């Protein structure tokens, strides 16, 4: 399966699943990869053809090339469900570095597969994972990189978060997901405005 997407065997996988839009902070994630102490590859799963909201895939690829990361960053495009489950299980962790995020379905999917998660502390993601994952400041690339390193370097931490994630995911249902999404939308409507990344 990994060969199908040109994923290097033997190199730990940091997995991202979601849209390829500026608010997803993939530019920050790619830059954070240059600050890792660990040797790992970033696998970006996202269907640019179907995601029409401010696609930045070409710019992201140019950034990857400019930073000399072409052999450590993989763009898979669309991945069918069976392959996606296999990728969750193959990954050391899932990371969602968004500046703004709703419910975060990939987090639930990852936890259900026993994959540890690291997420932005902005939006609903922090509340979604509770103590079942790590959080970081998406505007601070050093914080993002060090959080990834903590997970990549500690099997004990991954094991602990894996069990917590499996326990936590049992609490969720589609009704609860809808209620939480609505809560986030209402809060966002109250706050308004946007965010910009600093510290790069």
């Amino acid at each position: 399966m990994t060969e199908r997407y040109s994923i290097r065997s033997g190199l730990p996988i940091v997995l991202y699943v979601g849209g390829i839009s500026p608010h997803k902070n993939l530019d920050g994630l790619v830059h954070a990869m240059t600050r890792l102490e660990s040797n790992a590859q970033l696998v970006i799963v996202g269907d640019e053809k179907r995601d029409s909201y401010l696609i930045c895939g070409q710019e992201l690829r140019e950034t990857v090339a400019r930073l000399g990361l072409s052999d450590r960053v993989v763009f898979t495009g669309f991945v069918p469900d069976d392959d996606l489950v296999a990728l969750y299980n193959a990954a050391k962790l899932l990371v969602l570095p968004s500046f703004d995020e709703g419910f975060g379905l990939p987090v639930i999917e990852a936890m259900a597969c026993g994959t540890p998660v690291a997420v932005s502390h902005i939006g609903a993601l922090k509340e979604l994972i509770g103590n079942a994952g790590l959080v970081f400041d998406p505007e601070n690339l050093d914080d993002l990189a060090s959080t990834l390193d903590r997970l990549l370097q500690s099997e004990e931490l991954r094991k602990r978060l894996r069990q917590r994630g499996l326990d936590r995911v049992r609490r969720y249902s589609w009704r609860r997901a809808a209620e939480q999404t609505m809560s986030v939308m209402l809060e966002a409507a109250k706050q308004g405005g946007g965010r910009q990344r600093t510290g790069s």
Side-chain angles (χ1 to χ4, degrees):
M1 186 275 301
T2 54
E3 294 83 2
R4 187 181 310 160
Y5 299 103
S6 301
I7 297 171
R8 293 171 60 183
S9 61
L11 195 61
I13 295 172
V14 174
L15 181 65
Y16 166 85
V17 178
I20 315 295
S21 303
H23 74 282
K24 298 293 187 176
N25 192 25
L26 294 178
D27 182 78
L29 178 57
V30 166
H31 277 84
M33 290 295 292
T34 67
R35 305 186 185 197
L36 287 185
E37 296 177 3
S38 310
N39 190 20
Q41 60 187 316
L42 173 63
V43 175
I44 298 174
V45 177
D47 187 358
E48 297 175 55
K49 295 179 180 178
R50 303 174 82 178
D51 185 353
S52 60
Y53 178 68
L54 294 176
I55 288 299
C56 60
Q58 184 57 41
E59 294 88 340
L60 194 61
R61 284 178 174 79
E62 292 171 0
T63 297
V64 167
R66 188 173 69 252
L67 294 175
L69 293 175
S70 297
D71 63 337
R72 291 178 52 204
V73 178
V74 176
F75 295 87
T76 68
F78 171 77
V79 171
D81 289 344
D82 288 347
D83 285 358
L84 184 56
V85 169
L87 283 175
Y88 279 129
N89 282 284
K92 290 291 186 182
L93 65 107
L94 172 81
V95 59
L96 290 187
S98 305
F99 290 132
D100 187 22
E101 193 66 64
F103 181 69
L105 185 59
V107 171
I108 299 296
E109 294 174 339
M111 291 193 296
C113 290
T115 306
V117 297
V119 302
S120 164
H121 69 184
I122 295 173
L125 295 175
K126 181 178 179 180
E127 289 72 23
L128 181 62
I129 66 169
N131 71 345
L134 300 184
V135 297
F136 54 83
D137 180 353
E139 300 182 24
N140 185 322
L141 298 184
D142 288 332
D143 189 28
L144 172 49
S146 65
T147 300
L148 297 180
D149 271 325
R150 282 182 63 197
L151 274 171
L152 288 166
Q153 294 171 6
S154 175
E155 173 59 32
E156 179 57 34
L157 177 59
R158 293 197 304 274
K159 182 179 178 181
R160 186 163 65 248
L161 294 181
R162 184 177 300 118
Q163 186 57 55
R164 289 179 182 175
L166 289 169
D167 292 341
R168 188 166 181 83
V169 78
R170 295 188 184 99
R171 300 170 48 185
Y172 289 98
S173 66
W174 282 115
R175 179 174 180 176
R176 183 176 176 84
E179 290 172 349
Q180 290 193 338
T181 301
M182 181 59 71
S183 175
V184 170
M185 292 173 66
L186 291 173
E187 184 62 27
K190 290 178 186 176
Q191 294 180 1
R195 294 180 181 272
Q196 294 183 340
R197 173 168 59 84
T198 60
S200 61

